[in-house]
Amino acid sequence: MTSAVLITPLNLKPSADKVGESMGWGPENYTLPLSDDGGDTLTHYACRTDVTEGFIEMLANPPEIPGVALVLSFLIVDLSETLWGKEHLDAALESNNLTYYVG
Amino acid sequence: MSKITTDFVGNESLATTKSRLTSILEYWGYTPSLYTNWGGARTDMNSLLGSTAVAIIGATELAGTFLPKINFLNDTDAVIINALFSALEIGFIQDFSDPDTLYTDAAGAVLLTAPGQTIGLVADKSRVRSPITSYAGVQASAGLRPTYGRAPKSRRNLLTQTEFANGVTDAQTRGGLLGAVSGVDFGVFTGTGLSFGYDGTTLTYAYKNSTPVNGTYTFSVYVVMDSGGPPAFGSAIASNVANDFALYVGTTTPSPLTYVVEPVGGNIYRVSCTAILVSPTGFGVIKYITNSARTFSVSAYQNELSTAVTPYQKVTTAFDMTEAGVNSYGYTRLDRADDKLTVTLPSSITGDLMLFGRNGSWLEAGVTLPSGAFDLGPTGTVRTPGILSALGDLVGDVVIARTTSTEERDLAKRYFAGRGAAGWLETGAELLTNGGFADGTGWTNTSTGTGTAVISGGQATLTGVDASNRGALLLTTDVTGITIGQPYMIQWQIMSGTANSQVVVNSGGVVVDRFGATVAETRRAVFIAGATTIGFSFNVYGAGTVVFDNFSIKPLTVGA
């Protein structure tokens, strides 16, 4: 099982959700508001989930979905085989200098 | 059982009795309208009870006869918890131990079939709903779905893929003449494992990695020697020729003379070793080039925090543990990041919320839930931030639009305890001195800019302007004597004020409860201690004044 933290910039959240929906993930997967200035400004959204090898291959060879190239070009993908859930999310945020948005 | 029987005696109105019968029959699969006479209800009850002569309800028997009889034939506890809703109260029961109520899609079309699958819908178990999405916990987005798992009540084996179903790759640290085997009778579940070869020049080993948590561990493996007979351990030196192999326990190989070798049957032996460890990194088997030439196969690794070996538990993934002769119970694991299940409430309700977890159960009494989305997740309608981290894997929950009695709460707990939940979490002794602000002792004013903090009259009054001008107080000396890994609850009162504020707890990690415009209320949050101390502060970072009082920090322990 591979845990994934996927982080998209705020302005690409609608596109990222649409790409996810086009791939059958449902309407809104990026729901965790994040901040790159310590918590006061909303700058990113994240999704923590489990992914398959097929998903990881898809990142390298994305399907022909409108907007997918743009979304992937700015998508932060943090994968872990040892961390899971909130512990993985917290580690991914720290390594990318992000915090929870609590504004 | 006695409570249910009591429900049907005394001066209960006919309408109430009809309602109870309807509710109970709904649970057992019928969708009846209210019965207009006893005969109709009796007919349905008898069809549910089947043709067993002893179970048939006679025309002269009381309605209450149905309950002991169907309990006898079916599941007593299920009737008990369903009776919470005998007056058809608004609310729901989510039972993650019951895979018949769990679906992998949000529409409730595809039943969940295996551990490791994610839950798109959990049906309400308080009654039969139509459509199934009514009062169901739903998650339409795949990335936000919690995962279903199963395990015995007692989870001891800390490892995964304990029988090496994927071959040598299931040993994260490995080397040498290692091979995958299948069809070997290890006296355990699947017969898969690892073979250890020998050529006199190659070191062979297969370890499972471990988290570096100090403790007393017992590590065990099942062994079949290729030449038959038990494995030999004749020297305290692990690499000696008198030993067939050695166990790697934590960070070293303890004396093989301390191993316990237990015959399991035929040529199968279970070898175990107990050791007190500091920061263990791995557990496994090693065959030195100077050990004997005997080759063998191993399987069924078990590593447990105990002073002696216990019955083997097979673990495939992190979500699937089974034990021979012991029931495994279902649960759901929310990632405490963004997983959540949402129930749409048709109207605002006031009542009780009960959460039942593998590590503890929790009651939120007398809560008011607004109309619309009730979220079971890390944020949202569950009123105590962080509580899910203390409960562990969730076995079930109950939301009911009334205040339940202590007896009813304990009946609900009994139902879920029978499915793996632990007892109610209870608060221990107060750890904080002067949380009531009798004076300024123990507090440091850390206000910034034009922000102010004043302790007076048994309260703390903080005034802020913005993030750069905060009213702030810091606990001068951290609370000590904290147990790492234990849940703690911090509670405080807001006496008045509406400015944006936050309470920050630091115990090996930062926990923040940040809240905005609010009313006078008691707030609380739960966190798992990551250090032996707790430090905390609170501040007003918005424009306005907030009056705080009665800070409290108490440990949470599992009670009855």
Side-chain angles (χ1 to χ4, degrees):
Chain A
M1 180 176 61
T2 301
S3 176
V5 175
L6 311 175
I7 302 171
T8 185
L10 172 64
N11 63 335
L12 287 179
K13 171 180 160 50
S15 300
D17 279 329
K18 282 182 180 175
V19 167
E21 188 169 20
S22 299
M23 299 177 69
W25 296 355
E28 184 182 21
N29 284 276
Y30 298 88
T31 61
L32 281 167
L34 305 176
S35 172
D36 66 5
D37 69 353
D40 293 328
T41 306
L42 176 60
T43 60
H44 294 74
Y45 273 91
C47 171
R48 206 299 314 170
T49 188
D50 295 333
V51 297
T52 62
E53 288 184 9
F55 174 86
I56 297 169
E57 292 170 4
M58 182 278 297
L59 292 176
N61 300 290
E64 292 184 5
I65 295 174
V68 69
L70 178 64
V71 168
L72 290 181
S73 65
F74 286 93
L75 189 70
I76 298 171
V77 180
D78 191 299
L79 304 175
S80 177
E81 300 291 339
T82 55
L83 295 174
W84 191 83
K86 186 174 185 299
E87 286 69 30
H88 182 203
L89 174 67
D90 288 345
L93 297 188
E94 184 173 357
S95 63
N96 288 284
N97 296 315
L98 294 167
T99 61
Y100 295 99
Y101 169 69
V102 283
Chain B
M1 197 53 238
S2 58
K3 178 65 169 63
I4 293 293
T5 305
T6 303
D7 283 345
F8 282 86
V9 298
N11 296 319
E12 199 166 68
S13 70
L14 180 61
T16 302
T17 302
K18 286 176 179 176
S19 171
R20 291 185 193 284
L21 292 175
T22 300
S23 173
I24 291 165
L25 282 165
E26 277 188 325
Y27 176 80
W28 290 108
Y30 270 62
T31 311
S33 56
L34 280 177
Y35 290 103
T36 56
N37 58 65
W38 165 229
R42 189 170 66 85
T43 299
D44 278 354
M45 290 174 180
N46 279 333
S47 70
L48 286 165
L49 289 165
S51 58
T52 309
V54 69
I56 296 298
I57 301 172
T60 59
E61 289 187 276
L62 296 175
T65 304
F66 173 72
L67 280 168
K69 287 188 174 181
I70 202 163
N71 288 350
F72 173 74
L73 295 173
N74 294 281
D75 184 348
T76 308
D77 285 348
V79 175
I80 287 173
I81 193 168
N82 186 249
L84 288 173
F85 290 83
S86 58
L88 303 180
E89 292 90 341
I90 292 177
F92 54 87
I93 300 170
Q94 295 177 339
D95 183 356
F96 299 106
S97 75
D98 181 1
D100 287 343
T101 66
L102 306 177
Y103 297 80
T104 59
D105 65 316
V110 183
L111 265 173
L112 181 145
T113 57
Q117 291 180 322
T118 56
I119 298 171
L121 181 144
V122 51
D124 172 26
K125 206 173 179 180
S126 72
R127 69 200 71 170
V128 175
R129 298 289 191 182
S130 181
I132 194 171
T133 50
S134 177
Y135 286 91
V138 175
Q139 181 48 260
S141 297
L144 309 182
R145 290 176 180 162
T147 307
Y148 171 76
R150 65 174 177 177
K153 283 186 183 178
S154 167
R155 290 193 284 198
R156 303 181 303 277
N157 197 344
L158 303 173
L159 306 175
T160 58
Q161 287 297 357
T162 54
E163 297 179 13
F164 304 94
N166 302 306
V168 297
T169 56
D170 283 339
Q172 294 98 339
T173 302
R174 61 186 183 274
L177 306 176
L178 207 59
V181 296
S182 60
V184 177
D185 181 7
F186 289 105
V188 290
F189 292 90
T190 54
T192 56
L194 301 176
S195 63
F196 279 66
Y198 181 80
D199 63 5
T201 60
T202 306
L203 178 71
T204 301
Y205 54 96
Y207 303 159
K208 294 282 194 181
N209 294 343
S210 168
T211 53
V213 178
N214 302 349
T216 300
Y217 290 82
T218 296
F219 175 64
S220 58
V221 299
Y222 283 65
V223 181
V224 174
M225 304 301 295
D226 292 342
S227 58
F233 302 104
S235 170
I237 308 301
S239 58
N240 191 275
V241 69
N243 300 318
D244 288 334
F245 61 87
L247 299 181
Y248 183 86
V249 180
T251 57
T252 187
T253 49
S255 165
L257 298 181
T258 67
Y259 298 172
V260 175
V261 180
E262 174 192 4
V264 177
N267 283 315
I268 310 161
Y269 294 85
R270 193 178 191 193
V271 182
S272 62
C273 176
T274 301
I276 300 171
L277 302 176
V278 177
S279 299
T281 57
F283 294 83
V285 172
I286 181 168
K287 187 169 183 63
Y288 293 97
I289 59 175
T290 48
N291 280 148
S292 78
R294 295 179 77 195
T295 55
F296 57 92
S297 295
V298 298
S299 186
Y301 278 25
Q302 176 151 312
N303 183 36
E304 51 194 307
L305 280 163
S306 71
T307 56
V309 69
T310 67
Y312 168 66
Q313 295 183 316
K314 174 185 177 181
V315 189
T316 52
T317 70
F319 299 102
D320 192 13
M321 171 184 285
T322 51
E323 180 178 343
V326 175
N327 283 334
S328 281
Y329 297 96
Y331 60 81
T332 190
R333 184 172 299 168
L334 293 98
D335 68 359
R336 295 184 292 109
D338 56 4
D339 288 353
K340 68 177 179 181
L341 293 166
T342 300
V343 178
T344 302
L345 294 171
S347 61
S348 173
I349 64 171
T350 297
D352 289 352
L353 161 61
M354 292 176 257
L355 299 165
F356 301 94
R358 301 278 305 208
N359 298 341
S361 298
W362 187 252
L363 168 70
E364 306 257 355
V367 295
T368 297
L369 305 177
S371 172
F374 167 87
D375 291 334
L376 180 64
T379 60
T381 320
V382 176
R383 298 307 174 88
T384 304
I387 187 62
L388 293 179
S389 64
L391 301 183
D393 296 329
L394 273 182
V395 182
D397 61 344
V398 175
V399 169
I400 185 167
R402 66 180 171 88
T403 299
T404 51
S405 67
T406 301
E407 183 184 19
E408 287 176 315
R409 294 165 184 172
D410 286 342
L411 283 173
K413 187 205 68 180
R414 188 179 111 187
Y415 172 83
F416 285 108
R419 289 149 178 79
W424 298 114
L425 288 176
E426 299 173 349
T427 54
E430 177 62 54
L431 300 175
L432 190 60
T433 302
N434 196 25
F437 304 106
D439 53 30
T441 303
W443 296 98
T444 300
N445 187 342
T446 54
S447 300
T448 59
T450 58
T452 61
V454 176
I455 295 175
S456 176
Q459 295 177 330
T461 302
L462 275 60
T463 300
V465 179
D466 52 33
S468 301
N469 297 276
R470 303 180 184 226
L473 284 175
L474 168 72
L475 188 67
T476 307
T477 304
D478 289 353
V479 179
T480 58
I482 301 305
T483 302
I484 293 174
Q486 181 168 341
Y488 289 82
M489 185 174 77
I490 180 169
Q491 180 171 295
W492 65 98
Q493 283 182 278
I494 297 178
M495 310 307 290
S496 62
T498 59
N500 287 336
S501 309
Q502 64 179 349
V503 170
V504 180
V505 176
N506 192 343
S507 180
V510 177
V511 177
V512 177
D513 183 29
R514 185 177 279 199
F515 44 94
T518 183
V519 295
E521 63 175 353
T522 298
R523 297 183 67 92
R524 58 191 183 187
V526 170
F527 59 95
I528 306 296
T532 56
T533 60
I534 295 173
F536 81 91
S537 61
F538 59 103
N539 65 74
V540 172
Y541 64 92
T545 297
V546 179
V547 180
F548 297 84
D549 200 0
N550 296 323
F551 273 87
S552 166
I553 298 178
K554 295 179 178 178
L556 289 175
T557 56
V558 177

